[in-house]
Amino acid sequence: MTTPRRVLFGRERFTAELDWAGLARLLPGWEVVASPPDRIADHLDGVAAVCPFGAWADEAVLDAGSFGLVHQYGVGLEKVDVARATELGVWVARIPGAEAFAAMRPGAVFVNVARGGLVDSGALLDEAALLAALQAGHVGGAGLDVHAREPADPDSALLRHPAVIATPHVGGLTTVMFRRTGRVFAANLRRWADGGTPRWAVNAPGFCRWPGLR
């Protein structure tokens, strides 16, 4: 009997209502396991791929395992030591995000449910520029679930603007997001496990250390 590959999530559940086991049907031949965020290093036995889900995947975690892939799910890769992963032969991949706007037509509604850094100094827009565009009427409205600085200041002029709807970085925790992201996530794990290059990789190690990779 073939031993299933394991994928480890660095949080016990996606939400209180949604358990990671809900992804099992998308990953035949895989065992879906989970760990508290601060105990990933204690749960790496037999793990082929790790999804930190906001937990640290630092040098200590990377060195402790033999897994060959770190994959984002829903949150970013800010706590992943990509340089150390590359040295060890560990691929790091993300879920594709929103494309940058080349231009916005007058009256358009700007919605950011991706990363707060997309609307930050030196990024696609900064919050002052967004506020100015709203005040000028060029941007007709904004929906913001993520913010350049979190927790966001509820008294900021941007969040108090009447054309802004803001939520505290919880808008992505939905059943729809879980299911749709799960399909993309599972397809990329299967692609990597079959010996392919993971899509949307943020690094390119010269080898993959996972011993079970075909």
Side-chain angles (χ1 to χ4, degrees), residues 97-183:
E99 297 294 330
F101 297 108
M104 296 182 70
R105 61 180 176 81
V109 174
F110 176 79
V111 178
N112 185 13
V113 293
R115 309 302 299 161
L118 292 179
V119 189
D120 198 357
S121 178
L124 169 66
L125 292 170
D126 61 50
E127 291 189 338
L130 177 57
L131 176 60
L134 287 163
Q135 291 171 333
H138 183 73
V139 173
L144 306 174
D145 183 53
V146 290
H147 311 275
R149 301 292 179 270
E150 295 186 354
D153 179 2
D155 293 323
S156 75
L158 177 62
L159 297 194
R160 293 176 66 86
H161 192 282
V164 171
I165 296 175
T167 51
H169 206 152
V170 295
L173 298 178
T174 67
T175 301
V176 171
M177 183 272 184
F178 179 70
R179 292 174 178 168
R180 291 183 177 177
T181 301
R183 290 195 290 269

Side-chain angles (χ1 to χ4, degrees), residues 33-140:
V33 294
S35 162
D38 58 348
R39 296 189 59 196
I40 289 180
D42 299 331
H43 294 78
L44 293 174
D45 186 35
V47 167
V50 171
C51 175
F53 201 66
W56 290 100
D58 55 13
E59 183 175 357
V61 170
L62 290 161
D63 288 350
S66 60
F67 55 91
L69 176 68
V70 174
H71 206 302
Q72 172 204 11
Y73 192 113
V75 293
L77 299 171
E78 295 86 353
K79 296 182 179 180
V80 179
D81 189 336
V82 178
R84 182 58 178 161
T86 305
E87 292 175 3
L88 293 172
V90 178
W91 284 94
V92 180
R94 61 182 177 86
I95 297 293
E99 297 294 330
F101 297 108
M104 296 182 70
R105 61 180 176 81
V109 174
F110 176 79
V111 178
N112 185 13
V113 293
R115 309 302 299 161
L118 292 179
V119 189
D120 198 357
S121 178
L124 169 66
L125 292 170
D126 61 50
E127 291 189 338
L130 177 57
L131 176 60
L134 287 163
Q135 291 171 333
H138 183 73
V139 173

